[in-house]
Amino acid sequence: MQHRVVVVGAGFGGLEVVKGLAGAAVSVTFIDRRNHHLFQPLLYQVATASLATSEIAWPIRSLVWNRPDVTTILASVTGVDAERRHVLLEGGETVPYDSLVLATGARHAYFGHDEWEPFALGLKTLEDATTIRRRILVAFERAERETDTEKQAALLTFVIVGAGPTGVEMAGTIAELARDTLPRDFRNIDTGKARVVLIEAGPRVLGGFPDDLSEYALRSLRKLGIEVELGRAVSDCNADSVTYGDTRLATKTIIWAAGVRASPAAEWLGAPADRAGRLQVMPDLTVPGHAEIFAVGDMVTVNGPDGRPAPGIAPAAKQQGQHVASSIKARLRGDAGPRPFHYRHQGSLAQIGKRRAVIDFGWIKLKGALAWWLWGIAHIYFLIGSRARLSVAINWLWIHARNQRGARLITQGEAQIDASGVAAVDELATADALRRPPAADAMHAPPTPQ
Ligand SMILES: Cc1cc2nc3c(=O)[nH]c(=O)nc-3n(C[C@H](O)[C@H](O)[C@H](O)COP(=O)(O)OP(=O)(O)OC[C@H]3O[C@@H](n4cnc5c(N)ncnc54)[C@H](O)[C@@H]3O)c2cc1C
């Protein structure tokens, strides 16, 4: 019988494992609870009506159709029986393995305040992105019909919590949506007067970037009219407001880009984890005490030779996936020694609106329009397939030249249309909370900032 490899999670890490095993004498079972692989770095563009969902996600089956050695299963994994070497699926089914690779990623987290989730929307899945898009667009629709000026102001106030790359990119794009794309669509409101407020508990935006790029990003955000509040932690989020420091700001739209929490795979195995629930793997990416189980990507923490952990970003997950695939192949050749993983940092990128970006390659730092073009080329390069690349490139050129964002669609909201024909944002918050699947990977360890 062929060596059976089970890969759980078809994100950046898992997909790279499966790609790396092409041609090896193994049979692969590829399990994910969603039927698509998602390019998360551009999720905020779906949330802000710049791109359509199908431009940043691909059916997993379509990615492995030409791999007879790969069987794809759409199912949620609920645990691992490491003794019997079985993966447990929701519903009671089990899948046997000889080698197991866990790559189940992470989700946003609320610093112990999960009750904020219905009001402060996180961004991790396509559903999260279309929910945010709906909330933003409905807020403008309601503001157009609102006669009470205070309520109208709250509807036209958009708050983003967390000024890492996702928060900065989201704030910049909402500001441009309001100032450049929407004004001509509305008659009673000036969408250009919408407030976009970016709140960060730390002392600067893009905290992971060098000081000068972070300063440049701050200036660029302010030029876009974004109000940046630094050094003030959020202490409450509800349907009507957000509180940070001693300020209570009335708003109907809060977007959460502040913390992450690993999927619960460490709990499945009773393995050591850090404060954010990330499984502490061995230097060769195996789970302590289980040489046949590997774990990669956002759900793990592993220190490099310099003692610094690999970051929770796509290139780290991909490099780890490649490493695991080559380790499995080496073992099959009889080379069973542990092979330590070394992360190679290729650079950090963030876009600030449609004409500016910052890039830190380590050996060179770039900012402004040139950085924006490089940012765009890099992201298009990493998309899958010519259709998505072409479609995204055309969309971006269209936005660049004409300020038009074609994906301004309010979906999933029919059930919440009120008598006047307009969905109520606070009702949407409750409805979103009800519709949201239970956080299967929720853990109670405090998260760490993204
Ligand atoms: C909004 C956002 C923006 C980002 N921007 C960037 C960026 O600009 N650059 C960058 O490098 N990184 C970025 N990242 C981070 C990057 O996306 C992650 O580091 C990367 O996706 C991690 O890959 P992964 O394989 O570990 O997990 P993921 O890509 O998250 O994949 C995990 C997979 O596991 C599946 N899964 C989870 N639990 C189960 C289960 N129980 N059963 C079955 N399947 C399961 C999920 O459905 C998913 O398909 C961003 C992340 C987000 C959320």
Side-chain angles (χ1 to χ4, degrees), residues 9 11-13 32-33 40-41 75 77 103-105 123-124 166 297-298 312-315:
F12 286 101
D32 201 295
R33 62 184 175 196
Q40 291 168 19
V77 169
T104 47
L123 184 60
K124 182 69 185 172
T166 301
D298 281 5
I313 56 174

Side-chain angles (χ1 to χ4, degrees), residues 320-355:
Q320 290 170 0
Q322 288 154 6
H323 183 84
V324 165
S326 75
S327 296
I328 292 174
K329 288 194 288 194
R331 285 183 185 182
L332 291 174
R333 287 194 305 270
D335 169 8
R339 298 150 47 88
F341 167 73
H342 298 289
Y343 169 67
R344 296 171 308 283
H345 190 61
Q346 290 152 342
S348 307
L349 296 77
Q351 186 209 24
I352 317 148
K354 68 181 181 190
R355 290 198 178 85

Side-chain angles (χ1 to χ4, degrees), residues 8-14 31-34 36-44 60 75-78 103-106 123-124 165-166 169 263-264 268 296-299 311-315 317 349 375 379 440-441 450:
V8 184
F12 286 101
I31 308 175
D32 201 295
R33 62 184 175 196
R34 299 182 184 275
H36 50 266
H37 168 77
L38 177 62
F39 192 80
Q40 291 168 19
L42 291 180
L43 258 183
Y44 76 97
I60 296 163
S76 195
V77 169
T78 53
T104 47
L123 184 60
K124 182 69 185 172
T166 301
E169 292 178 332
S263 93
W268 297 342
V296 300
D298 281 5
M299 56 157 282
I313 56 174
L349 296 77
W375 173 93
H379 280 74
D441 51 3
Q450 193 180 28

Side-chain angles (χ1 to χ4, degrees), residues 41 81 98 109 119 152 160 199 262 285 289 370 409 413 416 423:
D81 181 343
D98 299 310
F119 315 110
Q152 193 179 60
I160 298 99
I199 304 171
L285 304 178
L370 174 65
L409 306 176
Q416 286 78 47

Side-chain angles (χ1 to χ4, degrees), residues 144 301 388:
E144 172 83 346
T301 174

